[in-house]
Amino acid sequence: MKKYAALLLALALLASLLTGCAGGTSSSATTAASTTAATTAATTAAPAGESVELSFLRIGNDTAEGDYWKALIDRFQQENEGITVSYDDAAIGEAMETKLNTSFAAGIGYDLIGHGILSVAARVEAGHYMDITDYYNAWEGKDDIMQSVLANGTYKDRIYGLAYSSTPFIFAYRTDLFAEAGIDNPPETWEELAEYARKLTVRDGDTITRAGFAFPLSSGNFVEFDVFAFGNGALYYDEAGNPTIDTPEKAEAFAFLLDLLPDVSIPYSSSDTNPFIAGNAAMVLINNVALTPMLSDPAYEGKVGIAVPPHNEGHDAATFSGCNMLFIGSTCKNPDAAFSFIETALSGEEVLNRAKVLNIPVTRNSQVDAFIALDPMNEVRAACVSCGIGMPRTTWATTFQTIRNNMVQEVLYGASEPEAALAAAQAQLLDEIG
């Protein structure tokens, strides 16, 4: 049996165990009932005067963010007498998925779930996430959420999750090296990127000692290539949710990189120290969070600039952006209270507070100016969120991730020609998902 079929079977088995979900509905009825859950929330909310207990599971077990959420829960409970929220978190990856699967299989689930883009389609189809479209439509903040992040929680034209954090890839460059080379501004197009990268590269004989532009040759998740694909007008799936790996735009992105990288980049893996962070590169695509240590290093004070990644001429600027969202679990008996917590977490005041405490970009348009006032670099960060594109919101996203990673490595190492690699990846993905 194909891996993808096995995954769907496992999800189906889990969904069939949701005996306590949505007032005792079956797994198939649960998925259908999720579209009307918000409109019937009043009948499932706890009666006035009684206490309401909500369980909350967040992806990620980092201390700083855990402390933030615990503090927010304390504030929420003080302002909403009678509602208590129990907090839990789990490491990204298997730990998070196991904890969720086990709870839903037992018919318990979690009332509130903080999870990422890759979870959306699979857990909606498994009946784990409640449709919150009606709640969203009645929410005062609905017109203020950036459309790019709202899209991440939308599946089949219904809203299931609302973003609380975004982690865009940004373009970082050394302003001091630019000044030495007589370059005034960061590149906006691929043509400028290639020109500047060759000008900034330093060699000792045939060996590159300073990369003009650093790009990994292996990666746990090759979103650096995605940035070039998106910047050339490409996506990985169409409006019907079908894979579109083998398109000409991606072949053009490969051709550009293959022509440029041998002349300007120091080979490295994403598990290695990034050459830019080590001071051996003039330009790089990097996760906004990963750049933080360098920006706080006195040795590089005033020497690092950031920009929206360059795009191909004739296309709009775009980048990759990860996103974590708040979902209401399908077994939640008090969705009114659960959405009240989401409203608090995504209020304008709290979005800005989270940006201050966790150094992450805001997700509400009304807070962009205040966000920029905190740090001039935040203008670029906000722009990258606004033009950011996440992983495919499809049930085959995880399978795609593995196939895409292998494809990019094969092309960069010269094991396959771009067009052949793209066609093979498309065929493999179609075979995996049937």
Side-chain angles (χ1 to χ4, degrees):
M1 179 181 292
K2 301 294 184 187
K3 287 182 289 184
Y4 179 75
L7 174 62
L8 285 184
L9 177 60
L11 288 173
L13 288 173
L14 287 174
S16 69
L17 294 173
L18 300 179
T19 55
C21 175
T25 57
S26 67
S27 60
S28 59
T30 298
T31 303
S34 66
T35 60
T36 58
T39 59
T40 59
T43 63
T44 58
E50 294 189 11
S51 62
V52 172
E53 297 182 3
L54 299 174
S55 57
F56 175 29
L57 175 65
R58 179 187 69 87
I59 187 170
N61 57 358
D62 48 299
T63 301
E65 189 165 352
D67 290 344
Y68 162 80
W69 284 106
K70 292 171 187 175
L72 173 61
I73 288 170
D74 287 342
R75 294 194 295 275
F76 175 77
Q77 291 177 158
Q78 291 172 13
E79 296 169 0
N80 296 271
E81 187 177 351
I83 303 178
T84 59
V85 181
S86 61
Y87 173 82
D88 193 10
D89 55 35
I92 298 170
E94 184 177 351
M96 178 68 174
E97 304 313 318
T98 298
K99 189 167 284 191
L100 275 177
N101 290 342
T102 301
S103 68
F104 278 110
I108 302 171
Y110 283 87
D111 299 308
L112 290 156
I113 302 164
H115 212 334
I117 301 171
L118 283 174
S119 74
V120 176
R123 293 203 176 273
V124 168
E125 294 294 345
H128 294 172
Y129 288 165
M130 182 180 293
D131 182 340
I132 60 172
T133 306
D134 292 336
Y135 279 116
Y136 168 79
N137 286 334
W139 177 41
E140 59 81 23
K142 70 182 181 69
D143 295 326
D144 195 24
I145 295 294
M146 293 180 180
Q147 288 300 306
S148 60
V149 295
L150 177 63
N152 291 323
T154 303
Y155 180 65
K156 294 183 177 178
D157 297 324
R158 305 295 293 180
I159 297 170
Y160 294 89
L162 292 171
Y164 64 83
S165 74
S166 187
T167 52
F169 261 59
I170 59 179
F171 184 82
Y173 62 98
R174 288 281 298 275
T175 56
D176 56 331
L177 301 180
F178 269 47
E180 289 176 9
I183 302 172
D184 297 326
N185 299 301
E188 294 184 5
T189 65
W190 288 3
E191 183 179 1
E192 290 179 342
L193 173 63
E195 177 189 347
Y196 298 174
R198 290 189 166 93
K199 195 171 186 178
L200 292 162
T201 300
V202 175
R203 292 180 175 79
D204 182 2
D206 293 333
T207 303
I208 296 175
T209 57
R210 188 183 76 196
F213 173 61
F215 192 91
L217 289 182
S218 61
S219 178
N221 187 15
F222 248 122
V223 298
E224 292 89 350
F225 176 75
D226 296 347
V227 173
F228 280 91
F230 299 155
N232 200 30
L235 292 175
Y236 286 107
Y237 62 108
D238 60 23
E239 293 182 357
N242 300 310
T244 58
I245 295 179
D246 59 340
T247 61
E249 297 88 355
K250 300 179 190 71
E252 290 175 4
F254 270 134
F256 173 79
L257 292 171
L258 290 175
D259 180 64
L260 177 64
L261 296 182
D263 297 335
V264 303
S265 186
I266 297 174
Y268 74 100
S269 167
S270 60
S271 60
D272 300 331
T273 300
N274 190 301
F276 189 83
I277 299 293
N280 296 326
M283 299 183 290
V284 74
L285 288 169
I286 191 168
N287 184 306
N288 175 58
V289 175
L291 187 63
T292 301
M294 191 175 190
L295 292 175
S296 59
D297 186 343
Y300 292 103
E301 185 176 357
K303 297 179 180 180
V304 178
I306 63 174
V308 176
H311 55 89
N312 200 8
E313 195 76 42
H315 295 282
D316 294 331
T319 189
F320 172 85
S321 185
C323 184
N324 285 337
M325 294 160 279
L326 290 171
F327 303 88
I328 297 179
S330 58
T331 56
C332 180
K333 294 182 175 61
N334 295 285
D336 282 358
F339 195 80
S340 177
F341 179 81
I342 293 177
E343 285 183 303
T344 297
L346 300 185
S347 67
E349 179 182 0
E350 202 57 50
V351 164
L352 185 61
N353 179 45
R354 196 158 45 247
K356 295 175 182 178
V357 174
L358 300 176
N359 296 316
I360 57 175
V362 296
T363 54
R364 290 183 66 141
N365 291 306
S366 64
Q367 298 305 311
V368 170
D369 288 344
F371 181 55
I372 295 171
L374 299 175
D375 180 350
M377 284 188 173
N378 285 344
E379 183 173 4
V380 170
R381 296 184 176 108
C384 286
V385 172
S386 183
C387 69
I389 300 171
M391 294 293 290
R393 297 184 306 280
T394 62
T395 54
W396 44 262
T398 302
T399 303
F400 155 80
Q401 190 177 48
T402 300
I403 292 173
R404 186 261 273 116
N405 289 348
N406 293 335
M407 173 191 71
V408 175
Q409 287 188 173
E410 285 185 5
V411 173
L412 293 182
Y413 278 105
S416 180
E417 293 296 320
E419 289 81 0
L422 289 163
Q426 174 80 358
Q428 182 182 356
L429 182 56
L430 289 173
D431 184 52
E432 290 282 355
I433 66 178

